[in-house]
Amino acid sequence: MNAPFKTPADPLGAPLWDLSDLYASTEDARIEADLDRARSLVAELNALQGRLVASRAEPEALGRVLDQAVTLYERASDVLGGLGAYAFLAASTNRNDAAAQGFEATVRERMTAIATPTIWVTLEVNQLDEGEVAAALQAHPTAARWTPWLRRVRAMKPHELSSELETFLAERGPISAQWPRLFDETLAAMKVSAGEDELTLAEALNRLSDPKAARRKAAAEGLNEALAARASTMALVLNTVAADKALEDKWRGFRRPADGRHLANEVDGESVDAMAEAVAAAYPRLSHRYYALKARALGKPVLDQWDRNAPLETTAPRSYDWAQGRELVLASFADLGPEFADRAGGFFDKPWIDGRARPGKQSGAYAHPVTSDRHPYVFLNWMGERRDVLTLAHELGHGVHQTLAAGQGSLLADTPLTLAETASIFAEGLTFDRLLKTAPKVEQRGLLAGRIEDGLNTVVRQIAFHRFETRFHDERAAGEVSVERIGALWLGEMGGSLGPAVTLNSGYEHWWSYVSHFVHSPFYVYAYAFGDLLVAALMETRAKDPGAFTPLYRELLAAGGSKTYVEALAPFGLNPRDPAFWTIGTKRLEGLIDQFEALV
């Protein structure tokens, strides 16, 4: 096991993972051997520099060299990808261990030094004309498999810089990554006082769903105090990350802060803006209406912000041990077909999941791909709540997606964010449907409320995050944004999304500071709303003919990043460029709120 300290047995049975499929330890001799292997592959690749341009007048020769270069590029990426994954995975469960953090940083620096000399590949590809590339792929058909990767590379052509500047940016990457590291380590070390208890961030956030209002309030007030004490540090991190990004965006010629993310996602910014505006316009019909109903159900005129995810019943909600969570999730995957359940089951049968919450482990959850020839790993903090069952389904959805797409190879398996959340949100929806179907009638109102809140958190809350992030970056362009101003922007967007039935209590102005996506992946958050609304359309399609749906859905996932989201949805008869497409999801959520209103 990768943990450097002994952890007590988890009464809920959540497992630790075993990273020895990658490396036995940070001292494993294979680490140095793989660094040497990566250097050799890069040297072989770099021997081809100049030959793409030199072959541009000979289609067959160009196709052959192109195929050889991209194949070597992928092989080198695979070796380095395994090293990077191991360093990150080991560090994420040991954020309070200086040696683990230092190992991750050192590995990142050494990988960058090896990979940076390959920058010429994409630059030289983009010196070729479209006609030259097309002729080469036709003349040497085996190179045609790289068409989707080439499409993404060539989309970046207008924003590429000189070889010297691209090299500088790549070499600076590990240094810039120290800001997210500071963010992670600050939160991992944070202790939250809640009454007589001292909690980690993950435990404090989990307590906001406690059935007892006093415990929720104590956790929220403890978070207020802990986050306020670190707000100036987090503001410095956020301002620096934004300024660093803005400088690169200026050189690359991106007009707006989110444009680089849109390009990587192969989606136009106007479509994302339209989606965000459609969701914001639906706030009154969705979140404002629901929280007013919830306040009525709880017998309160308005909700305090710590009541937002409170259970409706004051009795302790049903808890789930690991075995029960596994059974529920695998049964839900089986609803799509035995292959889906088998692939998800592999994560349990082998030690590929780290579910045990413990000191030093960062909060949150993820499914981390490694390379196409090695399996992913799943990370979460299991506390036995209904939400944890759905989180497990969500991350295993990612894991199954990653295993299905592995046949594409690492370069083509990587999925743009427009489709990256599809399998995860779909799996979460299937698991909720099973929870609701098997729950006693007395629990169904609470489950329905939980499902609505999950939908609001995924769609409304993430769009509010996106709007906050957009406003922050816009203001950062004029100079550093103060802690107070960041808090005001946060309160404005969150207040607008939650509506008048939720009071944003004093101290909530600092809660932006634990949202890791703002630091790790600027402008990622809209992908959750995008994915949820996309999945809603897919689930409506499945309801019409489940048997015909499954093979099409499998094909969508197995395609990885080889298709754009428009191409991937075409077999289902769905057109995401039609504004009406996005209303399918908001109407589905509105329908759940209608059902809830009938029970209040």
Side-chain angles (χ1 to χ4, degrees):
M1 300 297 178
N2 66 302
F5 51 86
K6 292 183 179 179
T7 56
D10 186 342
L12 295 170
L16 300 174
W17 56 28
D18 183 348
L19 300 181
S20 60
D21 282 357
L22 298 173
Y23 300 99
S25 72
T26 58
E27 304 299 323
D28 193 328
R30 291 179 297 166
I31 293 174
E32 290 300 326
D34 281 348
L35 286 166
D36 287 339
R37 185 155 63 102
R39 289 188 192 96
S40 295
L41 288 166
V42 167
E44 188 177 353
L45 171 61
N46 288 348
L48 300 175
Q49 186 170 2
R51 287 183 57 189
L52 293 173
V53 171
S55 304
R56 67 194 309 167
E58 305 171 59
E60 202 283 330
L62 175 58
R64 188 171 60 254
V65 176
L66 192 60
D67 188 28
Q68 186 181 1
V70 182
T71 299
L72 285 168
Y73 188 91
E74 181 175 63
R75 287 175 60 196
S77 298
D78 280 349
V79 177
L80 294 174
L83 285 160
Y86 175 73
F88 170 75
L89 294 167
S92 65
T93 55
N94 293 297
R95 288 298 178 198
N96 59 356
D97 183 271
Q101 306 313 302
F103 175 77
E104 182 187 17
T106 299
V107 166
R108 187 185 293 118
E109 290 175 4
R110 296 181 72 184
M111 288 169 53
T112 299
I114 294 169
T116 298
T118 68
I119 280 171
W120 70 268
V121 177
T122 55
L123 293 174
E124 195 164 327
V125 164
N126 282 338
Q127 289 181 50
L128 303 171
D129 296 334
E130 290 290 345
E132 292 169 340
V133 173
L137 300 184
Q138 185 174 8
H140 190 77
T142 57
R145 71 179 300 263
W146 303 116
T147 298
W149 183 79
L150 290 168
R151 180 187 68 231
R152 293 200 292 270
V153 167
R154 292 181 70 77
M156 190 65 182
K157 183 175 180 177
H159 304 286
E160 281 184 339
L161 305 174
S162 67
S163 177
E164 292 79 9
L165 278 174
E166 293 289 358
T167 299
F168 168 75
L169 290 172
E171 290 180 344
R172 191 189 61 172
I175 300 169
S176 299
Q178 297 307 301
W179 292 103
R181 175 185 173 184
L182 174 60
F183 178 91
D184 289 340
E185 291 183 14
T186 301
L187 291 181
M190 187 174 77
K191 299 299 181 184
V192 178
S193 297
E196 297 180 356
D197 298 327
E198 188 175 75
L199 308 176
T200 64
L201 173 62
E203 290 168 337
L205 293 172
N206 186 68
R207 191 165 288 187
L208 298 176
S209 298
D210 195 279
K212 295 183 178 178
R215 283 167 61 84
R216 294 195 302 272
K217 181 180 180 182
E221 291 179 341
L223 278 166
N224 291 344
E225 183 177 348
L227 293 174
R230 293 156 180 82
S232 59
T233 298
M234 297 315 215
L236 174 61
V237 170
L238 193 61
N239 270 284
T240 305
V241 167
D244 193 45
K245 182 182 184 306
L247 183 61
E248 182 173 340
D249 285 350
K250 182 184 78 170
W251 278 90
R252 293 197 181 280
F254 288 122
R255 244 181 355 102
R256 302 187 306 170
D259 283 351
R261 179 69 69 186
H262 298 330
L263 183 66
N265 289 344
E266 297 187 281
V267 62
D268 60 90
E270 288 73 16
S271 294
V272 175
D273 292 344
M275 178 190 68
E277 288 166 11
V279 172
Y283 285 171
R285 304 193 307 275
L286 299 175
S287 47
H288 296 187
R289 177 185 170 210
Y290 171 74
Y291 290 123
L293 290 170
K294 183 169 186 176
R296 187 200 309 171
L298 291 175
K300 302 183 69 170
V302 293
L303 300 174
D304 290 300
Q305 68 89 2
W306 53 76
D307 295 326
R308 190 170 55 82
N309 292 323
L312 294 179
E313 312 303 331
T314 56
T315 55
R318 180 187 298 192
S319 64
Y320 301 84
D321 63 26
W322 186 254
Q324 291 169 324
R326 167 183 173 149
E327 181 182 357
L328 271 166
V329 169
L330 290 184
S332 302
F333 275 86
D335 289 340
L336 274 174
E339 181 188 6
F340 288 88
D342 289 345
R343 286 180 179 273
F347 286 80
F348 294 100
D349 298 337
K350 304 177 182 71
W352 296 351
I353 303 176
D354 196 297
R356 189 179 304 177
R358 56 196 185 275
K361 182 178 180 181
Q362 70 185 48
S363 63
Y366 61 74
H368 197 295
V370 181
T371 57
S372 63
D373 58 346
R374 284 175 282 193
H375 61 82
Y377 289 86
V378 164
F379 172 107
L380 70 158
N381 288 274
W382 182 269
M383 297 182 191
E385 305 286 345
R386 174 197 63 86
R387 180 64 252 168
D388 296 324
V389 176
L390 296 177
T391 298
L392 177 61
H394 183 105
E395 300 308 338
L396 281 172
H398 280 306
V400 168
H401 190 177
Q402 290 156 5
T403 63
L404 279 168
Q408 298 286 342
S410 296
L411 291 184
L412 301 183
D414 189 32
T415 308
L417 293 186
T418 44
L419 291 170
E421 295 297 332
T422 302
S424 54
I425 295 172
F426 201 99
E428 193 174 337
L430 288 175
T431 302
F432 171 77
D433 289 345
R434 178 166 290 273
L435 281 169
L436 185 62
K437 183 179 179 181
T438 58
K441 195 167 185 65
V442 69
E443 295 181 13
Q444 289 184 359
R445 186 181 75 152
L447 279 171
L448 183 60
R451 183 63 182 128
I452 293 168
E453 288 163 17
D454 290 342
L456 295 177
N457 287 337
T458 305
V459 177
V460 169
R461 185 170 173 81
Q462 299 302 324
I463 290 301
F465 282 3
H466 175 68
R467 288 161 63 93
F468 159 77
E469 194 172 18
T470 300
R471 291 182 64 191
F472 167 76
H473 279 260
D474 287 345
E475 293 202 11
R476 181 64 183 90
E480 186 164 308
V481 185
S482 69
V483 172
E484 294 75 18
R485 181 57 184 161
I486 298 173
L489 292 174
W490 172 258
L491 291 177
E493 289 300 335
M494 300 312 296
S497 69
L498 295 171
V502 179
T503 299
L504 300 184
N505 307 85
S506 177
Y508 187 67
E509 65 271 18
H510 301 302
W511 283 42
W512 55 269
S513 61
Y514 79 83
V515 183
S516 62
H517 289 99
F518 298 153
V519 171
H520 281 274
S521 306
F523 298 99
Y524 184 106
V525 290
Y526 75 74
Y528 291 109
F530 194 107
D532 192 275
L533 296 174
L534 188 153
V535 165
L538 286 174
M539 295 193 88
E540 290 292 317
T541 303
R542 178 177 181 265
K544 297 171 185 174
D545 190 346
F549 177 86
T550 294
L552 292 177
Y553 181 66
R554 187 197 185 283
E555 184 180 340
L556 181 153
L557 300 185
S562 65
K563 296 181 180 179
T564 67
Y565 72 104
V566 175
E567 293 168 337
L569 292 175
F572 300 91
L574 297 171
N575 178 15
R577 287 176 171 158
D578 181 350
F581 173 83
W582 301 110
T583 66
I584 298 172
T586 57
K587 287 179 180 176
R588 184 180 175 91
L589 186 52
E590 204 170 341
L592 292 175
I593 297 172
D594 290 340
Q595 293 178 44
F596 180 75
E597 185 171 25
L599 298 174
V600 174

